[in-house]
């Protein structure tokens, strides 16, 4: 009796359920028999019949499902019965249910046999191989693994069949360098494991080495390997030149093919020179059919010698269509101009530079295509284009931020003035609060734009990253919520870095929030810190990290991951994969800007479905730690009355000037307004005009703020100054040397910010007279 003929045993749970139903039926019948009245007897008999019917229906349903499953598996077995490879059907425990004819002959497959014993006849670690392939098949539906045997290769594949069966396929084959029909050249081939251990050699390799070798350096004298280049191979004590081809074989193994630099005499033919040239060459018909490809071209295109393919199948045009290009070349047009095309290889993205030449063979026009690998050139071009794009976006962001800051200063400032005339009981008070809050939110977005364009104001200081992360842990735990856990692993000995503490905290929080959003079903966010010493520059993607010592921070999640084609866009502003209203697309661009402005590096690695890792690298601080000196606080200066101050306000934006003037006047200052630096200098020509403080914008048409202040200081050296700007403080510093007795106020600012800093400048000038002397 075969597996398909015998009944499938009932599972334990189904058996228990049927036994319980049958027990209830019997119990109901007994109770009906013992019942004292006819009515109760009828009820119990009806219950017994109901339980019996349910038991029968359950049994019939199980028999029906079992029959259908046996029928499906029988059809599947018939489908692979005449397959050229050995196919075996097993359950999840590895017990053989059936096998096709090849499996019964080659593997001695029989019903009830263990899959491990069958594989163990060919592979030493059969249990490990079966476990890896079965686990991958259960997760993905299909999986395979290639194993190198002493004399051939084995590919073991598994297909998931229904909920409790697997179809295994065994493929035994010779390597590409194995002996074939006479007249063909078979190159020496080896399979090498980690550390250069030789795992397998084909007959040609054994003949070349004079026997079996254990290590690669026993055969190749000038290791390490340089794929595609010439190496010295020792045979009978004499060195010969071979070109080495290396192909990854998985599990840390590599397949190595040794191609002799001289073509054997028995292979000479009319096309021997075309085949042996170390330049990728194709012969193409005007219609695009590839008539011939030499060995280098086949290696580049990952094509076989007998492939009958069109040039359009092998590569894609970056501009004009390939048929039009070939048609023009066949007519003698544009032969001196190369075209860049992308190969249709699935393993990696590659570009080639193709140059066509027209020749006539046997009265027919043929195009000879010379291929050059242009992948690195295209990569450099993409880096340059990306750099130009990011620079243009940064300049745009900085300019937009400056104009927005002026608008937000006027909006929030006039809102402050209105709030002074309304209390919480007024109907308009809530509307004014909403305006003020949304203006502050807009100011935050502008700050993120400035962070991306690396033009925000930073206050760098010597920081211990361990202290910052420890202090942030409580806040981060609240941010991630209940479904996500946060794990912190810190290096106990970590050098200090130089950065802005507040901005660095924003970087960590943004990365943690992004990691949380990537794990809608929960998970773990891991934050690690470490020290890394680079003895040589590190190349990561398109970025190059100089040698030195760095503090490394990794933020890792096990969420949905980021697709490969979107990895290069994650740091671009306004790019987001979230739905509308869930994000602005400025979070990671802000992180990028802060890290770059700090002098650090940021990288992202991701696998779709398995999570992402963001890696931050900050150069260590060379500044020595300074012990704080405890000093007695100086006596607080006696603040002057605000009404005693005269302010010269210079601002080219009329709304900002109107708000600042009203704000200062409201606090008792006397305000003199000027719309430009030239107007301010004209006002100061009046020597009788008394001015206690200058309040001026930095960037204005004509003279800028620092320039006109220097001119004014020639006659009024003791007047302090407050500079206002929608740009960062670095822009003010770049205008020239630092102006003494000055303060900087970033836009947008509130009424309190403006009046407070003006009053501080007045107080300082009273305490330290002469502090405002011109430089």
């Amino acid at each position: 009796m075969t597996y398909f003929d015998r009944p499938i045993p009932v599972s334990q749970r189904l058996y228990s359920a049927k036994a319980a139903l049958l027990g209830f039926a019997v119990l109901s019948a007994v109770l009906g028999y013992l019942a004292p009245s006819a009515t109760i007897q009828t009820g119990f008999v009806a219950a017994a019949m109901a339980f019996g019917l349910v038991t029968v229906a359950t049994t019939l349903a199980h028999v029906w499902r079992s029959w259908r499953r046996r029928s499906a598996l029988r059809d599947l077995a018939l489908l692979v019965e005449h397959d050229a490879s050995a196919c075996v059907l097993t359950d999840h425990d590895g017990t053989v249910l059936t096998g096709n004819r090849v499996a019964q002959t080659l593997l001695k497959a029989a019903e009830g046999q263990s899959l491990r014993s069958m594989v163990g006849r060919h592979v030493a670690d059969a249990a490990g191989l079966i476990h890896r392939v079965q686990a991958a098949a259960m997760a993905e539906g299909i999986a395979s693994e290639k194993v190198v045997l002493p004399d051939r290769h084995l590919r073991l594949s598994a297909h998931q069949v229904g909920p409790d069966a697997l179809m295994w396929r065994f493929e035994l084959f010779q390597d590409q360098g194995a002996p074939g029909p006479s007249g063909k050249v078979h190159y020496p081939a080896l399979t090498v494991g980690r550390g250069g251990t030789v795992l397998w050699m084909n007959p040609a390799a054994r003949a070349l080495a004079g026997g079996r070798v254990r290590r690669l350096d026993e055969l190749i004298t000038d290791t390490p390997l340089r794929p595609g280049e010439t190496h010295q191979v020792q045979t009978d004590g004499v060195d010969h030149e071979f070109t080495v081809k290396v192909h990854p074989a998985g599990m840390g193994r590599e397949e190595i093919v040794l191609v002799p630099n001289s073509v054997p005499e028995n292979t000479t033919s009319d096309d021997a020179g075309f085949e042996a040239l170390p330049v990728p060459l194709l012969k193409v018909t005007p219609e695009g059919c590839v008539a011939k490809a030499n060995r280098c071209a086949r290696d580049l295109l990952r094509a076989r010698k007998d492939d009958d393919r069109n040039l359009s199948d092998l590569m894609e045009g970056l501009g004009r269509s390939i048929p039009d290009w070939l048609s023009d070349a066949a007519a003698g047009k544009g032969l001196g101009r190369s075209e860049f095309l992308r190969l249709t290889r699935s393993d990696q993205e590659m570009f080639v530079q193709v140059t066509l030449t027209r020749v006539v063979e046997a009265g027919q026009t043929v195009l000879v295509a010379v291929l050059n690998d242009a992948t690195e050139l295209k990569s450099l071009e993409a880096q340059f284009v990306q750099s130009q794009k990011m620079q243009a976006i940064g300049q745009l962001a900085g300019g937009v931020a400056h104009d927005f800051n002026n608008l937000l200063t006027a909006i929030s400032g006039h809102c402050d003035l209105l709030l002074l005339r309304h209390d919480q009981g007024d109907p308009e008070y809530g509307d004014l609060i909403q305006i003020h809050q949304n203006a502050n939110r807009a100011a935050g977005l502008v700050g993120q734009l400035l962070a991306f364009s690396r033009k925000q104001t930073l206050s760098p200081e010597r920081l211990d990253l361990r202290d910052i992360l420890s202090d942030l842990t409580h806040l981060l735990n609240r941010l991630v919520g209940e479904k996500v856990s946060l794990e912190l692993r810190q290096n106990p000995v970590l050098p200090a870095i130089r950065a802005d503490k507040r901005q660095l905290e924003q970087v960590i929080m943004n990365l943690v929030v992004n990691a949380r959003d990537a794990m809608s079903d929960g998970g773990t966010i891991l934050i690690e810190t470490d020290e890394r010493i680079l003895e040589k520059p590190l190349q990561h993607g398109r970025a190059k990290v100089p040698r030195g010592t760095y503090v490394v921070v990794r933020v890792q999640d096990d969420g949905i991951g980021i697709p490969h084609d979107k990895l290069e866009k994650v740091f671009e502003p306004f790019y987001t994969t979230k739905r509308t209203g869930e994000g602005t697309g400025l979070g990671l661009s802000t992180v990028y800007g802060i890290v770059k402005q700090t002098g650090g590096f940021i990288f992202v690695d991701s696998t779709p479905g398995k999570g992402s890792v963001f890696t931050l690298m900050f150069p260590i601080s060379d500044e020595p730690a300074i012990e704080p000196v405890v000093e007695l606080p100086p006596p607080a200066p006696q603040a002057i009355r605000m009404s005693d101050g005269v302010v010269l306000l210079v601002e080219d934006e009329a709304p900002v000037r109107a708000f600042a003037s009203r704000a200062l006047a409201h606090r008792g200052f006397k305000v003199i307004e000027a719309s430009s630096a030239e107007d301010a200098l004209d006002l100061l020509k009046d020597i009788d005009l008394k001015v206690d403080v200058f309040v001026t914008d930095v960037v204005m048409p004509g003279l800028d703020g620092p320039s006109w202040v220097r001119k004014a200081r020639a006659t009024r050296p003791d007047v302090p100054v407050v500079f206002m700007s929608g740009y960062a403080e670095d822009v003010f510093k770049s205008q020239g040397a630092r102006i003494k007795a000055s303060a900087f106020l970033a836009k947008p600012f509130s009424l309190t910010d403006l009046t407070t800093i003006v009053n501080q400048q007045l107080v300082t000038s009273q305490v330290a007279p002469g502090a405002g002397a011109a430089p």
Side-chain angles (χ1 to χ4, degrees):
M1 181 183 299
T2 65
Y3 167 78
F4 299 106
D5 296 326
R6 69 174 184 264
I8 297 177
V10 182
S11 66
Q12 187 65 34
R13 285 188 299 173
L14 181 60
Y15 179 81
S16 300
K18 290 173 61 179
L21 290 171
L22 188 59
F24 284 135
V26 173
L27 179 61
S28 299
V30 172
L31 292 176
Y33 177 76
L34 300 176
S37 65
T39 303
I40 298 176
Q41 286 180 353
T42 302
F44 278 118
V45 170
M49 293 177 64
F51 282 123
L53 289 174
V54 171
T55 304
V56 172
T58 303
T59 304
L60 291 175
H62 174 69
V63 171
W64 168 253
R65 286 195 299 268
S66 300
W67 179 85
R68 290 192 58 184
R69 176 169 173 269
R70 286 196 301 271
S71 177
L73 293 178
R74 184 184 296 108
D75 293 341
L76 181 61
L78 290 175
L79 182 65
V80 298
E81 177 65 22
H82 301 286
D83 197 298
S85 299
C87 299
V88 175
L89 187 68
T90 72
D91 59 17
H92 288 177
D93 295 330
T95 302
V96 175
L97 305 179
T98 185
N100 66 354
R101 290 189 301 179
V102 177
Q104 294 171 9
T105 303
L106 181 64
L107 303 175
K108 310 301 181 188
E111 182 183 352
Q113 189 178 2
S114 170
L115 179 66
R116 179 178 176 180
S117 63
M118 294 168 49
V119 179
R121 299 188 186 119
H122 302 274
V123 181
D125 185 18
L129 175 62
I130 294 172
H131 174 73
R132 291 192 300 271
V133 177
Q134 181 169 343
M138 296 296 291
E140 305 293 338
I142 181 173
S144 66
E145 186 170 327
K146 181 179 177 183
V147 181
V148 178
L149 304 179
D151 57 344
R152 50 189 170 174
H153 292 189
L154 165 67
R155 180 180 288 112
L156 181 64
S157 306
H159 300 250
Q160 189 172 5
V161 180
D164 53 3
L166 290 169
M167 176 64 75
W168 297 84
R169 183 184 180 91
F170 298 78
E171 296 175 89
L172 292 168
F173 54 91
Q174 299 288 342
D175 69 299
Q176 296 178 354
S182 60
K184 294 187 178 180
V185 177
H186 302 291
Y187 298 128
L190 311 90
T191 299
V192 180
R194 294 184 176 92
T197 304
V198 176
L199 304 176
W200 172 84
M201 300 172 66
N202 72 344
R206 292 194 190 97
L208 179 66
R212 182 69 182 265
V213 296
R214 295 184 178 181
R215 294 185 53 81
L216 186 64
D217 51 15
E218 297 177 16
L219 181 63
I220 300 178
T221 59
D222 54 347
T223 54
L225 292 182
R226 302 179 301 277
E229 298 186 15
T230 299
H231 281 270
Q232 301 295 323
V233 177
Q234 191 175 55
T235 60
D236 299 327
V238 180
D239 287 343
H240 297 276
E241 291 186 347
F242 284 79
T243 300
V244 175
K245 302 291 184 180
V246 179
H247 306 281
M251 301 295 292
R253 302 185 298 267
E254 293 178 331
E255 292 186 355
I256 299 173
V257 180
L258 305 178
V259 181
N261 289 354
S262 60
V263 180
E265 294 181 359
N266 61 351
T267 63
T268 57
S269 65
D270 294 338
D271 291 325
F274 180 83
E275 176 71 15
L277 280 175
V279 178
L281 297 175
L282 298 175
K283 287 185 179 180
V284 186
T285 65
E287 293 76 23
C289 295
V290 179
K292 192 170 295 184
N294 70 348
R295 176 171 47 81
C296 287
R298 295 194 300 271
D299 291 341
L300 179 64
L301 301 174
R302 289 290 190 269
R304 297 190 304 272
K305 196 170 184 177
D306 56 349
D307 274 352
D308 184 16
R309 302 173 69 180
N310 195 285
L311 192 66
S312 300
D313 300 330
L314 299 172
M315 52 191 73
E316 299 174 348
L318 302 182
R320 58 192 304 196
S321 66
I322 291 180
D324 291 345
W325 173 50
L326 295 177
S327 177
D328 289 347
K333 301 177 183 178
L335 292 176
R337 185 174 64 252
S338 300
E339 291 282 348
F340 288 91
L341 299 100
R342 188 177 72 87
L343 298 184
T344 56
R345 287 176 49 170
S346 58
D347 55 341
Q348 65 180 113
E349 186 176 50
M350 291 190 66
F351 296 87
V352 290
Q353 183 182 10
V354 185
T355 306
L356 295 179
T357 302
R358 186 180 61 166
V359 298
V360 178
E361 291 184 351
Q364 300 292 328
T365 300
V366 178
L367 298 174
V368 177
V370 182
L371 312 181
N372 288 309
D373 190 349
T375 304
E376 185 175 356
L377 179 63
K378 277 294 180 181
S379 177
L380 292 174
E381 180 184 344
Q383 291 181 35
F384 178 75
V385 171
Q386 180 72 5
S387 174
Q388 293 291 98
K389 181 175 69 172
M390 298 295 273
Q391 182 180 359
I393 293 176
Q395 292 176 347
L396 175 64
V400 169
H402 171 259
D403 294 337
F404 263 77
N405 278 332
N406 280 326
L407 296 173
L408 293 173
T409 301
I411 293 173
S412 60
H414 285 90
C415 186
D416 286 342
L417 294 173
L418 287 173
L419 285 172
L420 292 175
R421 302 198 301 269
H422 294 77
D423 55 27
Q424 297 186 8
D426 291 340
E428 295 85 0
Y429 184 82
D431 297 334
L432 293 174
I433 290 296
Q434 285 293 326
I435 295 173
H436 195 274
Q437 290 176 350
N438 283 281
N440 289 336
R441 288 183 58 193
L445 291 177
V446 173
Q448 290 180 315
L449 284 174
L450 286 173
F452 167 75
S453 60
R454 308 181 212 173
K455 293 180 180 178
Q456 63 176 344
T457 301
L458 296 182
S459 301
E461 56 182 307
R462 195 173 188 274
L463 299 175
D464 189 336
L465 198 57
R466 295 170 301 176
D467 297 339
I468 294 177
L469 291 175
S470 298
D471 295 341
L472 272 178
T473 301
H474 180 67
L475 176 60
L476 295 178
N477 278 318
R478 293 175 56 191
L479 282 175
V480 299
E482 297 180 354
K483 294 195 297 182
V484 178
S485 61
L486 185 69
E487 184 178 350
L488 182 62
R489 298 178 187 171
Q490 298 229 55
N491 187 333
V493 181
L494 208 60
I497 63 173
R498 182 170 174 79
D500 185 305
K501 180 180 179 181
R502 182 175 58 85
Q503 299 293 345
L504 191 57
E505 290 175 345
Q506 182 180 354
V507 166
I508 301 299
M509 285 192 293
N510 278 351
L511 293 179
V512 170
V513 169
N514 274 0
R516 177 203 65 188
D517 294 341
M519 299 185 296
S520 57
D521 297 330
T524 301
I525 300 174
L526 174 62
I527 303 177
E528 290 182 300
T529 60
D530 201 0
E531 178 184 5
R532 184 171 184 182
I533 301 175
L534 297 180
E535 300 293 345
K536 58 182 180 180
L538 171 67
Q539 189 77 30
H540 191 288
R542 296 174 180 173
K544 187 175 183 179
V545 184
R547 55 183 297 181
T549 305
Y550 295 86
V551 172
V552 181
V553 184
R554 298 184 189 87
V555 180
Q556 178 178 349
D557 65 73
D558 48 7
I560 59 176
I562 305 171
H564 179 72
D565 58 335
K566 297 179 180 179
L567 275 179
E568 297 181 357
K569 301 179 181 180
V570 294
F571 296 119
E572 294 183 8
F574 306 113
Y575 178 81
T576 179
T577 57
K578 299 178 181 178
R579 293 177 296 182
T580 304
E582 293 183 353
T584 62
L586 287 174
L588 288 179
S589 64
T590 302
V591 169
Y592 177 86
I594 294 173
V595 172
K596 288 297 183 181
Q597 193 172 357
T598 305
F601 299 87
I602 181 169
F603 310 113
V604 56
D605 299 286
S606 183
T607 303
K610 295 184 179 179
S612 306
V613 180
F614 284 84
T615 303
L616 311 176
M617 298 182 68
F618 298 100
I620 66 171
S621 174
D622 295 328
E623 297 179 359
I626 301 176
E627 294 293 336
V629 179
V630 179
E631 296 181 355
L632 294 176
Q638 183 66 32
I640 64 173
R641 292 181 300 159
M642 290 187 180
S643 58
D644 293 339
V646 178
V647 178
L648 176 58
L649 175 63
V650 185
E651 170 62 62
D652 61 311
E653 290 284 342
V656 179
R657 187 172 66 250
F659 155 64
S661 177
R662 291 181 58 189
L664 292 170
H666 184 271
R667 292 299 171 92
F669 293 103
K670 180 180 179 182
V671 183
I672 303 173
E673 298 183 28
S675 60
S676 66
E678 291 76 9
D679 292 346
L681 292 175
D682 289 341
L683 290 172
L684 293 177
K685 290 179 181 179
D686 183 2
I687 58 176
D688 295 329
L689 178 64
K690 177 180 178 295
V691 177
D692 295 309
V693 63
F694 299 146
V695 178
T696 177
D697 195 9
V698 175
V699 180
M700 295 182 293
L703 284 177
D704 56 37
S707 298
W708 82 259
V709 168
R710 289 193 187 93
K711 291 186 177 183
R713 285 276 182 89
T715 56
R716 301 171 186 262
D718 298 331
V719 179
V721 59
V722 175
F723 288 102
M724 309 177 296
S725 180
Y727 291 109
E729 189 173 1
D730 291 342
V731 178
F732 159 62
K733 291 179 180 178
S734 66
Q735 301 294 327
R738 177 74 176 172
I739 305 297
K740 293 183 180 179
S742 65
F744 181 80
L745 182 61
K747 297 178 181 177
F749 51 79
S750 65
L751 183 150
T752 303
D753 295 335
L754 175 62
T755 55
T756 300
I757 197 169
V758 170
N759 191 47
Q760 288 176 350
Q761 287 298 94
L762 284 173
V763 172
T764 303
S765 65
Q766 291 288 331
V767 173

